[in-house]
Amino acid sequence: MHDTIFHSVTLIHDKCMGCTNCLKQCPTEAIRVRDGKAKIIKERCIDCGMCIKVCPYHAKTAITDDLNKIKDYKYAIALPAPTLYGQFKNNPSIDLILTGLLEIGFDEVFEVARAAELVTESAKKLLKTGQLKKPVISSACPVVARLILMRFPNLIENALPLLSPMEVAAKLAREQAIKKHGLLSEEIGVFFITPCAAKVTCAKAPIGQIDAQIDGCISIKDIYLPLVTAMKNTKEKPLRTSSLKGITWAKNGGESYALNEKRRIAVDGIHNVIKVLEEVEDDQIIDVEFIEASSCTGGCIGGPLTVENNFIAKTKIQCIELPQKQIDDGIDIELESVKYSIPIKYQPISNLDSDMGIALQKMDQIKQIRSDLPGLDCGSCGAPSCLALAEDIVRGFANELSCIFKLKEKIGNLANEMVQLNQIGFGQGNQIKIKGENNESKRTN
Amino acid sequence: MPSERLTLKYEIDGFDFSAAGSASSDVKKILRKIGVSPETIRRIAIAMYEAEINTVIHAGGGVADVEINPTRVKVIFTDHGPGIEDIEKAMEEGYSTASYEIRQLGFGAGMGLSNIKKYSDNLDIKSKLGEGTVLTFIVNL
């Protein structure tokens, strides 16, 4: 089994203010605020990075590798995501960006955009066989792939059983380096230059294959400054082998465009993706052949580890102009080599109880507790909604007084009881009368 | 001792297409949390969705009562719409009495009742012209 507990998305404890921003935006309700700090429920997190994007205190981050890690290897290969090409001012050429990567210490570059073209060709072949369940859902976005495994088990058969461009690039780059330079596999370090937190998780615990192909992930954010500096001080070399078909994968709609599939849906933004998948699951979407779903707004260019605003990055990717003639790098791959080598499996989130009778009782309790809560879904209790709090109470992780409105009610009731006790004369001669002025002096304390 | 039975009630608004499907999607979430198998959840969700759409299109709204116990899910849709004239005919694939306008919206393909029958283990329809319809289906767990 894979270690599914590793997550790239993590909390910087000291920066967290315990507010409700991430709590309310998390698409899988994987966050709770406990003791004034956000906690990520690992079992539910799909590494979408929404919390990284919405945290005003920058208390959420993705664990990525330091650029210095490339020094641990005799031969370091950079795999730049196509998103990288849309991140710079003054629209530098792709050759200059790739040359810059060599300048900052990599020995070689292999473009993920090139691998994306190869995945497109393989997908075309696979779609032609007619063996895939329609609509076919792209598995390239690791968040969507994880979401399907956890929440849409009925759609596992619809997921395109192909490795992602990142994994294909890693495989090919390593094979080439071994062949060309006579290196041992362990002497080679393959590093993905990532816009995405979920890719970091995927690199460690791949979907659809056993062996991890990636030795490290460096975020675009972290590599940006050294790369810009290096690009200023170097002359570009002809390194690019990708074409627009692969580069366009950086934005949502690019993959299905490259596939040339007319009956397609391209959906972006994790909440929208969930809506579309719900409809597919309920047989409400018919006559669609292919669904390209990206967790981030705009596609990978909207990733949490990018530098440029995703709308500007989109225009930059669209404006890339390349010579018509395709560069022949002699790479050709067998369909079998990019297919999933192990079947993907349902990874359910734990239900209320393994005994369905008890689970039903608990669900009934949840319903009752929920109807008694104010229904504001304010998040002040630390759960994203009143329903989530009711569930947490039944699961034993919270109590009703976590709700500030319930707490206020309880305090009010207690105060009333004390006043009543006073009125029936309980306090006569004992000096525990509650007087208006005493109350007020207490309040100013 | 609390009972091992959960009852849920949903009001279904007539002619509100945007709200149709909200009951089935809520039930789906609940079934997932109590550990029903994904394939069974799918069958219940599709059958409920079809019944909801029918209630919206043909009856101008109604009520859905859902009763879950560890052996089965029972769903009862009650409406006070025009009733079904010929139930046997209505069960046929492709037969629909939906208006031209409704068909223009992409509904009324005549698959509703036949889909409910296909995805449920038991289907019962009681209907009286001018009074309404009670549709009950059961999916065994």
Side-chain angles (χ1 to χ4, degrees):
Chain A
M1 275 302 285
H2 300 144
D3 179 13
T4 47
I5 293 300
F6 170 82
H7 281 292
S8 162
V9 174
T10 191
L11 179 83
I12 305 168
H13 194 266
D14 291 344
K15 285 189 179 176
C16 178
M17 301 292 285
C19 72
T20 62
N21 283 293
C22 61
L23 184 73
K24 298 291 294 175
Q25 289 291 321
C26 175
T28 55
E29 299 195 330
I31 302 173
R32 296 292 183 274
V33 177
R34 298 265 181 264
D35 304 322
K37 301 284 176 188
K39 283 205 166 66
I40 301 171
I41 304 168
K42 288 188 168 183
E43 186 197 40
R44 294 188 187 183
C45 174
I46 52 174
D47 286 298
C48 68
M50 181 61 92
C51 54
I52 299 178
K53 288 182 218 168
V54 299
C55 179
Y57 308 104
H58 305 287
K60 288 282 173 61
T61 187
I63 301 170
T64 52
D65 294 298
D66 192 275
L67 185 54
N68 281 319
K69 197 185 166 188
I70 70 173
K71 292 178 190 153
D72 296 350
Y73 295 87
K74 194 171 166 190
Y75 196 78
I77 308 173
L79 309 180
T83 296
L84 183 69
Y85 306 159
Q87 301 292 305
F88 304 95
K89 310 288 168 204
N90 310 324
N91 305 319
S93 72
I94 293 174
D95 280 332
L96 183 60
I97 299 167
L98 300 178
T99 311
L101 286 170
L102 296 185
E103 285 296 317
I104 58 173
F106 287 99
D107 299 292
E108 195 182 317
V109 287
F110 192 105
E111 295 176 80
V112 175
R114 177 70 189 108
E117 290 162 25
L118 298 165
V119 172
T120 295
E121 291 315 310
S122 305
K124 276 183 182 167
K125 283 183 203 160
L126 205 52
L127 286 167
K128 254 193 198 155
T129 63
Q131 289 163 356
L132 301 175
K133 198 172 169 195
K134 300 285 171 64
V136 175
I137 303 168
S138 165
S139 54
C141 173
V143 176
V144 174
R146 200 70 76 183
L147 185 71
I148 290 174
L149 294 187
M150 281 168 47
R151 194 159 149 190
F152 296 98
N154 290 314
L155 301 180
I156 286 178
E157 278 180 68
N158 298 64
L160 187 65
L162 292 180
L163 299 178
S164 73
M166 170 187 85
E167 277 140 357
V168 173
K171 258 185 159 182
L172 290 171
R174 189 181 297 273
E175 279 167 18
Q176 275 189 348
I178 292 172
K179 228 194 237 168
K180 254 200 311 204
H181 304 288
L183 293 158
L184 295 168
S185 181
E186 56 266 31
E187 290 174 321
I188 304 167
V190 179
F191 290 85
F192 182 53
I193 313 300
T194 182
C196 169
K199 279 284 187 208
V200 183
T201 305
C202 242
K204 288 199 174 26
I207 295 173
Q209 65 176 353
I210 298 161
D211 300 323
Q213 301 284 338
I214 307 281
D215 298 298
C217 289
I218 298 165
S219 78
I220 288 181
K221 262 186 198 172
D222 289 347
I223 212 166
Y224 189 74
L225 264 183
L227 186 53
V228 167
T229 313
M231 281 158 62
K232 267 184 200 152
N233 303 318
T234 189
K235 264 209 171 126
E236 63 179 61
K237 292 176 193 146
L239 293 167
R240 176 187 62 83
T241 57
S242 66
S243 75
L244 291 177
K245 268 195 177 168
I247 296 165
T248 189
W249 274 59
K251 56 190 179 69
N252 178 253
E255 182 190 358
S256 41
Y257 168 79
L259 263 182
N260 204 14
E261 182 58 70
K262 281 207 180 73
R263 290 175 190 273
R264 64 186 184 227
I265 292 176
V267 54
D268 61 344
I270 187 67
H271 294 283
N272 298 330
V273 169
I274 291 171
K275 263 190 217 162
V276 168
L277 295 184
E278 289 274 0
E279 294 203 8
V280 176
E281 193 177 41
D282 292 351
D283 268 359
Q284 291 171 42
I285 292 181
I286 43 173
D287 292 341
V288 170
E289 296 282 320
F290 190 78
I291 297 180
E292 178 184 349
S294 319
S295 170
C296 294
T297 309
C300 304
I301 46 173
L305 310 181
T306 54
V307 177
E308 185 59 280
N309 168 318
N310 65 288
F311 294 98
I312 298 169
K314 185 181 173 185
T315 307
K316 285 184 175 166
I317 294 282
Q318 275 166 353
C319 290
I320 293 175
E321 279 180 26
L322 297 176
Q324 281 287 327
K325 200 168 168 279
Q326 179 100 29
I327 296 164
D328 183 16
D329 56 6
I331 296 177
D332 196 16
I333 49 162
E334 291 286 321
L335 175 57
E336 288 305 315
S337 70
V338 292
K339 266 193 187 168
Y340 282 171
S341 53
I342 50 167
I344 54 174
K345 273 194 204 140
Y346 181 30
Q347 296 167 359
I349 300 170
S350 52
N351 42 38
L352 288 167
D353 202 283
S354 54
D355 180 312
M356 199 182 287
I358 296 171
L360 274 167
Q361 288 171 10
K362 287 185 175 173
M363 191 48 90
D364 204 34
Q365 280 176 300
I366 291 172
K367 198 179 121 189
Q368 277 163 27
I369 294 170
R370 163 71 185 78
S371 67
D372 209 29
L373 290 171
L376 294 173
D377 294 340
C378 66
S380 304
C381 60
S385 67
C386 294
L387 181 62
L389 174 63
E391 194 180 320
D392 285 354
I393 293 170
V394 170
R395 284 183 190 256
F397 299 134
N399 65 62
E400 210 174 51
L401 295 184
S402 309
C403 171
I404 56 166
F405 298 93
K406 282 280 157 195
L407 185 66
K408 205 174 140 193
E409 197 181 300
K410 177 116 183 172
I411 292 169
N413 290 343
L414 278 173
N416 276 338
E417 273 172 39
M418 287 182 75
V419 170
Q420 276 167 17
L421 280 174
N422 187 45
Q423 278 167 354
I424 59 168
F426 175 75
Q428 263 177 4
N430 282 337
Q431 300 291 314
I432 60 160
K433 268 187 184 174
I434 299 169
K435 282 182 184 169
E437 57 229 67
N438 285 349
N439 269 354
E440 262 164 37
S441 68
K442 248 184 191 168
R443 247 178 245 150
T444 51
N445 280 342
Chain B
M1 174 76 188
S3 73
E4 293 183 349
R5 196 178 73 112
L6 180 70
T7 56
L8 308 155
K9 196 179 200 72
Y10 301 93
E11 299 282 340
I12 296 154
D13 272 358
F15 300 101
D16 184 355
F17 283 93
S18 63
S22 54
S24 66
S25 121
D26 194 61
V27 169
K28 210 157 113 173
K29 275 181 208 150
I30 287 168
L31 294 176
R32 212 183 283 138
K33 281 184 183 156
I34 61 168
V36 177
S37 82
E39 183 47 36
T40 309
I41 293 176
R42 196 177 105 92
R43 285 169 55 211
I44 297 164
I46 296 176
M48 263 198 87
Y49 177 77
E50 296 286 6
E52 267 184 87
I53 287 287
N54 278 349
T55 310
V56 171
I57 296 174
H58 298 287
V63 175
D65 289 287
V66 183
E67 192 192 298
I68 309 166
N69 72 30
T71 60
R72 56 130 187 80
V73 175
K74 184 177 178 184
V75 186
I76 308 165
F77 279 83
T78 309
D79 69 62
H80 300 288
I84 304 169
E85 197 173 340
D86 185 341
I87 294 178
E88 225 168 274
K89 189 127 202 167
M91 296 291 298
E92 282 174 19
E93 275 188 21
Y95 178 81
S96 175
T97 58
S99 67
Y100 175 74
E101 288 77 15
I102 296 283
R103 283 168 194 254
Q104 286 301 97
L105 291 169
F107 298 98
M111 297 301 289
L113 287 181
S114 50
N115 264 344
I116 299 172
K117 194 177 163 66
K118 181 173 150 194
Y119 289 114
S120 62
D121 292 303
N122 192 298
L123 170 64
D124 175 67
I125 304 171
K126 290 195 171 53
S127 190
K128 222 170 187 183
L129 277 181
E131 287 185 18
T133 302
V134 180
L135 178 148
T136 308
F137 71 82
I138 290 172
V139 175
N140 296 325
L141 299 183

